[in-house]
Amino acid sequence: MSHHVHSEHTLIRSRSRRWRHVKTSTVVLIAIVLALTTCAWISLVFSSRSIQCVTARQGSFSIFPWEPRDLYNSSSPSGSNQWLRNMGANSTGDLKMDHILFGIAGAAQLWPHRKEYVKLWWRPREMRGFVWLEQDVVGEPSDEEYLPAVRVSEDISNFTYTNPTGHPSGIRIARIVQEAFKLNVPGVRWFVMGDDDTVFAADNLLRVLKKYDWRELYYIGNPSESHSSNTYFSHGMAFGGGGIAISYPLAQALSAMLDDCLERYPFLFGSDDRLHACISELGEPLTKEPGFHQVNKHLLEYT
């Protein structure tokens, strides 16, 4: 009886030791697997290929099929990418008025009257930009010295427009940023869009844009102060009547895909929602600055 009990205790202890050994081995194995997995993950995340994706805002837009693989490709026909690459690392705070290229949307029929609004804020010796019309204005008195140069927009008759209440001019105006970018004006950091009756407070605009790194993707503006307009269009869309600021890299990205994008949205109403739709495809949200007023009944801050 005693021998039997002793043998049983010995068996239990043996099984217990084996169980502890198995448990210990399992824990060690799991720890090794976790360590190897963690090392593999860290290697993947911090590899050069992954860093390129993580820092896409700094210039790599290869995650989009329509984008050039290298924003800073010096082989660009315009040479403007080489200039962008060579800009100093601390060049965001030295923004000057001639670093901004204004794009003013107008209509030939209204321009003889609307140009008086532009004269209120335009500084011919400091500013650069163009008024974009659908055709030349004939017979107007020569006052170009007080105004930005007039350019005729490209033909948009091949684009599809199906909105029953709008006008195809929305396509033409949405393309201003693309046409302005294609001019390859040297030294441009920001493309600022507005209507021909938008009044810009230029010094305030300059001060606001200095807050942002123009070498990254930025779509800056503000929704309408009309709740019904925001509800109809979007609460995350900038309105051209209040002004829209687009950084150089975003303008470049848009220029590469805008025409194809516009064909995907023939049903939209105007230029602002088309531009918003295409910038959204690039993954860039609106950076809201409340001084961009779409309703002019308030005290103007930036526009």
Side-chain angles (χ1 to χ4, degrees):
M1 180 70 176
S2 173
H3 176 71
H4 176 74
V5 171
H6 176 72
S7 300
E8 187 175 341
H9 283 304
T10 301
L11 181 61
I12 291 172
R13 284 198 301 271
S14 176
R15 288 177 178 174
S16 178
R17 282 197 300 270
R18 284 200 300 272
W19 172 244
R20 286 197 300 271
H21 178 72
V22 169
K23 252 175 44 171
T24 302
S25 301
T26 303
V27 170
V28 170
L29 180 61
I30 291 173
I32 292 173
V33 171
L34 287 175
L36 291 174
T37 304
T38 302
C39 289
W41 180 83
I42 291 174
S43 175
L44 178 64
V45 168
F46 292 101
S47 66
S48 59
R49 183 179 298 273
S50 298
I51 289 175
Q52 186 179 21
C53 294
V54 171
T55 58
R57 288 179 64 89
Q58 299 295 333
S60 173
F61 304 106
S62 58
I63 54 175
F64 302 115
W66 52 78
E67 277 306 292
R69 292 189 177 273
D70 185 6
L71 175 64
Y72 304 104
N73 182 4
S74 60
S75 64
S76 168
S78 68
S80 58
N81 291 338
Q82 180 68 41
W83 167 84
L84 179 62
R85 184 176 62 180
N86 291 336
M87 291 300 293
N90 298 317
S91 59
T92 58
D94 63 345
L95 188 70
K96 297 180 176 60
M97 201 67 74
D98 62 358
H99 290 140
I100 301 171
L101 189 68
F102 289 90
I104 308 302
Q109 183 178 0
L110 298 175
W111 178 239
H113 306 288
R114 294 287 182 86
K115 67 182 181 180
E116 300 302 323
Y117 290 112
V118 179
K119 288 180 183 178
L120 294 174
W121 60 271
W122 184 253
R123 302 176 186 175
R125 294 179 179 82
E126 298 179 48
M127 295 177 169
R128 298 190 294 174
F130 303 96
V131 176
W132 296 86
L133 307 177
E134 80 281 10
Q135 62 185 37
D136 280 318
V137 178
V138 181
E140 273 299 293
S142 179
D143 51 4
E144 288 85 1
E145 59 181 311
Y146 306 108
L147 293 164
V150 172
R151 296 191 69 92
V152 176
S153 301
E154 295 175 357
D155 180 33
I156 58 162
S157 59
N158 291 330
F159 286 87
T160 306
Y161 187 90
T162 60
N163 190 287
T165 61
H167 193 275
S169 61
I171 297 174
R172 177 181 71 85
I173 295 171
R175 297 182 75 250
I176 286 177
V177 63
Q178 181 195 55
E179 293 193 48
F181 179 84
K182 284 161 45 176
L183 294 175
N184 298 319
V185 178
V188 174
R189 300 183 184 182
W190 293 95
F191 295 82
V192 173
M193 310 294 133
D195 294 340
D196 53 7
D197 58 352
T198 301
V199 177
F200 288 93
D203 293 324
N204 291 348
L205 174 66
L206 189 66
R207 185 166 59 251
V208 167
L209 292 182
K210 283 183 178 181
K211 299 192 307 183
Y212 301 98
D213 189 345
W214 61 274
R215 295 162 298 187
E216 296 187 2
L217 299 178
Y218 275 111
Y219 165 51
I220 302 175
N222 204 46
S224 174
E225 285 143 353
S226 166
H227 178 70
S228 59
S229 294
N230 291 328
T231 301
Y232 183 80
F233 293 105
S234 170
H235 286 268
M237 181 185 88
F239 283 74
I244 302 172
I246 294 175
S247 63
Y248 183 97
L250 181 54
Q252 184 177 34
L254 277 171
S255 182
M257 54 81 77
L258 187 62
D259 285 350
D260 289 337
C261 177
L262 292 175
E263 285 291 356
R264 290 192 281 275
Y265 301 99
F267 51 87
L268 295 180
F269 177 82
S271 59
D272 298 339
D273 45 349
R274 280 176 165 77
L275 197 60
H276 174 237
C278 294
I279 292 175
S280 295
E281 286 197 6
L282 291 172
E284 187 60 29
L286 174 66
T287 297
K288 295 182 181 180
E289 279 287 349
F292 288 83
H293 294 295
Q294 197 265 336
V295 177
N296 60 9
K297 64 183 179 180
H298 295 288
L299 178 66
L300 297 179
E301 293 180 26
Y302 314 144
T303 64

